[in-house]
Amino acid sequence: MGDQTVPAKGNVLGSLVPARYVLAVLGSVAMAIIYGLKVNLSVAMVAMLNHSALAHGSTPTEAKEHVNAEPVCQGSNSTEAVEDGPFIWSEPVQGMILSCYFWGYLVSQVPGARVAESFSARWVMFFSVLINVVCTLLTPVAAKLHYVAMIVMRIGEGIGGGVTFPAMHVMLASWAPPNERSVMSAIVYAGTALGTVISMLMAGVLAGTLGWESVFYVMGGLSCLWMVLWLWLVQDTPSKQPLISQEERDLITTSLGSGSSSGHNEPKPPVPWRKVFTSAPFYGILIAHVCNNWGWYMLLIELPFYMKQVLQFNIKENAVVTAIPFLTMWFFSMALSKTLDALRTRGKITTTIARKTATFIASAVPMVCLLALCYIGCQRGLAVSLMTIGITAIGGMFCGLLSNHIDIAPNYAGTLMAITNTAATLSGIIVPIFVGQITHGNQTIGAWRVIFFVTIALYVVEIIAYLLLASGEEQPWNKGDKPASSIEAAEAEATPLNTKESKQNYNGQEQ
């Protein structure tokens, strides 16, 4: 039968703004919500912890190590009263609470991707945000019960958050024309940076004025509005979207090929697992994703603690200084993606060069900044400047490696993203535990120097692997495990003049 195209209702969306960019913006807001509700705990926890009790509870050995280690920097307001909260959670417990988000994140991605590809990415995204909102609103109650209840809430948020990247990859594969893929991907995934900015700023202000509980109640409540807009304005494919101009629908479906508009209603060939796991471009993305995520989560999750432990910023200063780099990252990612797409459209560079350039920027620049950070000591202004430059440059990953799955295999973009993001999630699990163990009883510049050197080494691995292995070209196995002759026959049959649906329509007109 084929997919039934829904007629446009007066070109409502198309007359105001292209429907594909409504999808991109709301997708960006969804990513902002997911990341905002993920990182708010990193800031709120500074206000939740009883730092005085934790300091007095260190063992004699830890105290001796701390005295012999390099001293922390001197801050102007490091003992601000608002920073003492009710919870006495040691550094290892803090690391466990922060990392357990990724336990849920780890297990949900591949199943979520297959559901999104086979049924509806739109509904997968909706339930992802819904789960995060519910768990966020329950977090204050859980924290007061026991830290184990906090772990349960964080795992729930992780399960919801794990399906977002695969689901959005599926939607972008159905909605983004190839020459706009970098821009639309950057708009969507840069929402992670925007959500980080808003969350850190809001969390700092709310925790410092209304108390740490307000961080979760306010941010969780505001996120509910998105769910209404998403169900109203977004559909899985252009052919299912009534609020779109016919011109835009034709533009998207023509650029993607006649089969792309039909989305989930046309069966896709099964995933060619053997070819996927013997593909050099796939391994280029996989290695880069794992290494880049280590640096990303190091800065995303642990930066507030570095600001507190070493540079001695109080919670309000901490929130502002930590959030600013993610705002500049958002602007940079937009500018870089637009520039690379313009160069590709003019034939100046290939897709492969565009992806490698963006990924190189996203790894080399923060690597150099972290190296410099190891040796500047307590120069707070210079430290903030270096972290701002490094985090800003990480925005290149949105139009680099994170867009690359759609290039090499649009039919399996969600599944490929789920595989690489699952592997990369191990970084999110390890980073908080690793940092907690290194800084336990030793919250000094020397301890953080070890942490930064490990991150630098992984950035080197990322640069080498991605430059050698990555590609921006569609891979032959995107058509499945079919032999070449079958693929050619299927493509010939899929042309507008030869489709069975076209013949049926023609016969119907004859009758």
Side-chain angles (χ1 to χ4, degrees):
M1 291 291 294
D3 190 31
Q4 299 297 317
T5 300
V6 179
K9 294 182 179 179
N11 300 342
V12 177
L13 275 185
S15 62
L16 299 175
V17 63
R20 63 189 184 278
Y21 284 100
V22 172
L23 163 70
V25 170
L26 285 177
S28 183
V29 175
M31 301 304 292
I33 290 171
I34 295 297
Y35 264 70
L37 299 184
K38 172 164 61 175
V39 304
N40 61 6
L41 183 60
S42 297
V43 178
M45 191 178 283
V46 177
M48 295 168 70
L49 296 174
N50 189 322
H51 299 280
S52 300
L54 287 170
H56 293 150
S58 60
T59 66
T61 301
E62 290 166 350
K64 183 178 179 181
E65 289 174 352
H66 188 79
V67 170
N68 292 334
E70 297 178 61
V72 296
C73 304
Q74 295 300 314
S76 59
N77 252 330
S78 60
T79 57
E80 189 178 12
V82 71
E83 296 189 29
D84 258 352
F87 303 108
I88 307 174
W89 295 332
S90 66
E91 284 87 351
V93 171
Q94 296 170 36
M96 183 180 297
I97 292 173
L98 290 173
S99 70
C100 67
Y101 176 96
F102 299 97
W103 303 350
Y105 197 89
L106 187 69
V107 301
S108 66
Q109 293 187 74
V110 173
R114 298 307 296 157
V115 171
E117 288 175 341
S118 303
F119 300 101
S120 172
R122 170 178 175 253
W123 280 104
V124 170
M125 283 297 299
F126 175 82
F127 283 109
S128 168
V129 174
L130 177 62
I131 292 170
N132 272 264
V133 167
V134 171
C135 290
T136 296
L137 293 173
L138 292 176
T139 292
V141 176
K144 292 173 183 178
L145 286 176
H146 198 274
Y147 74 84
V148 173
M150 275 286 291
I151 289 174
V152 173
M153 291 298 102
R154 294 292 288 177
I155 292 174
E157 289 183 46
I159 290 173
V163 303
T164 52
F165 276 94
M168 283 311 308
H169 255 45
V170 172
M171 299 205 74
L172 286 170
S174 296
W175 276 91
N179 64 344
E180 298 179 23
R181 194 169 286 159
S182 293
V183 171
M184 289 186 63
S185 296
I187 291 173
V188 170
Y189 296 128
T192 60
L194 192 61
T196 301
V197 172
I198 296 171
S199 179
M200 287 182 167
L201 289 174
M202 285 185 65
V205 172
L206 289 170
T209 55
L210 300 178
W212 64 267
E213 296 99 327
S214 66
V215 173
F216 305 100
Y217 291 138
V218 173
M219 296 177 68
L222 290 175
S223 301
C224 295
L225 177 61
W226 174 90
M227 293 186 286
V228 177
L229 294 175
W230 181 258
L231 291 182
W232 175 32
L233 298 176
V234 172
Q235 297 293 334
D236 278 302
T237 63
S239 60
K240 295 179 179 178
Q241 175 61 273
L243 308 175
I244 187 175
S245 68
Q246 189 60 46
E247 292 79 10
E248 183 184 4
R249 180 179 289 153
D250 292 341
L251 168 68
I252 298 171
T253 57
T254 300
S255 67
L256 294 176
S258 60
S260 297
S261 65
S262 48
H264 305 296
N265 287 346
E266 282 192 2
K268 294 180 180 178
V271 179
W273 295 109
R274 181 181 59 83
K275 293 180 179 179
V276 169
F277 286 107
T278 55
S279 170
F282 168 74
Y283 278 106
I285 300 173
L286 177 64
I287 295 170
H289 202 166
V290 171
C291 295
N292 194 274
N293 254 33
W294 178 282
W296 169 246
Y297 285 124
M298 181 64 66
L299 295 169
L300 183 71
I301 299 173
E302 301 301 333
L303 188 57
F305 290 93
Y306 177 75
M307 294 292 194
K308 164 66 182 174
Q309 294 175 2
V310 175
L311 299 182
Q312 295 292 291
F313 285 96
N314 65 50
I315 188 169
K316 292 181 181 178
E317 293 174 326
N318 195 340
V320 173
V321 172
T322 306
I324 287 173
F326 291 95
L327 181 61
T328 57
M329 177 204 283
W330 186 80
F331 286 113
F332 174 73
S333 65
M334 294 294 101
L336 180 62
S337 62
K338 188 66 176 176
T339 300
L340 293 176
D341 264 356
L343 291 174
R344 288 172 59 214
T345 301
R346 295 172 188 169
K348 302 293 185 181
I349 61 174
T350 63
T351 301
T352 301
I353 295 299
R355 300 295 180 238
K356 289 184 177 181
T357 299
T359 303
F360 179 80
I361 292 171
S363 50
V365 175
M367 178 184 70
V368 172
C369 291
L370 285 176
L371 183 61
L373 200 61
C374 291
Y375 296 103
I376 63 169
C378 294
Q379 300 180 60
R380 298 171 91 201
L382 183 55
V384 170
S385 298
L386 285 170
M387 286 186 285
T388 299
I389 294 170
I391 294 174
T392 297
I394 292 178
M397 71 177 175
F398 301 129
C399 57
L401 68 96
L402 289 185
S403 302
N404 205 180
H405 311 74
I406 307 175
D407 299 322
I408 66 173
N411 282 335
Y412 309 109
T415 296
L416 296 187
M417 169 56 86
I419 295 170
T420 66
N421 208 27
T422 296
T425 298
L426 294 174
S427 298
I429 295 174
I430 296 170
V431 162
I433 297 175
F434 171 67
V435 173
Q437 292 296 330
I438 295 293
T439 60
H440 183 47
N442 185 29
Q443 300 176 359
T444 63
I445 295 174
W448 281 93
R449 190 173 291 154
V450 173
I451 294 166
F452 290 154
F453 269 121
V454 171
T455 306
I456 289 168
L458 290 173
Y459 272 134
V460 172
V461 173
E462 175 187 357
I463 292 170
I464 295 172
Y466 197 77
L467 290 180
L468 290 178
L469 301 176
S471 171
E473 304 305 315
E474 181 180 341
Q475 300 300 296
W477 46 265
N478 179 52
K479 306 298 182 182
D481 278 319
K482 297 179 181 179
S485 57
S486 300
I487 294 173
E488 292 173 0
E491 289 176 343
E493 186 180 357
T495 56
L497 292 178
N498 293 327
T499 57
K500 293 179 180 179
E501 186 176 351
S502 297
K503 291 178 180 179
Q504 290 172 352
N505 291 341
Y506 176 78
N507 291 335
Q509 292 173 355
E510 286 290 301
Q511 293 174 358

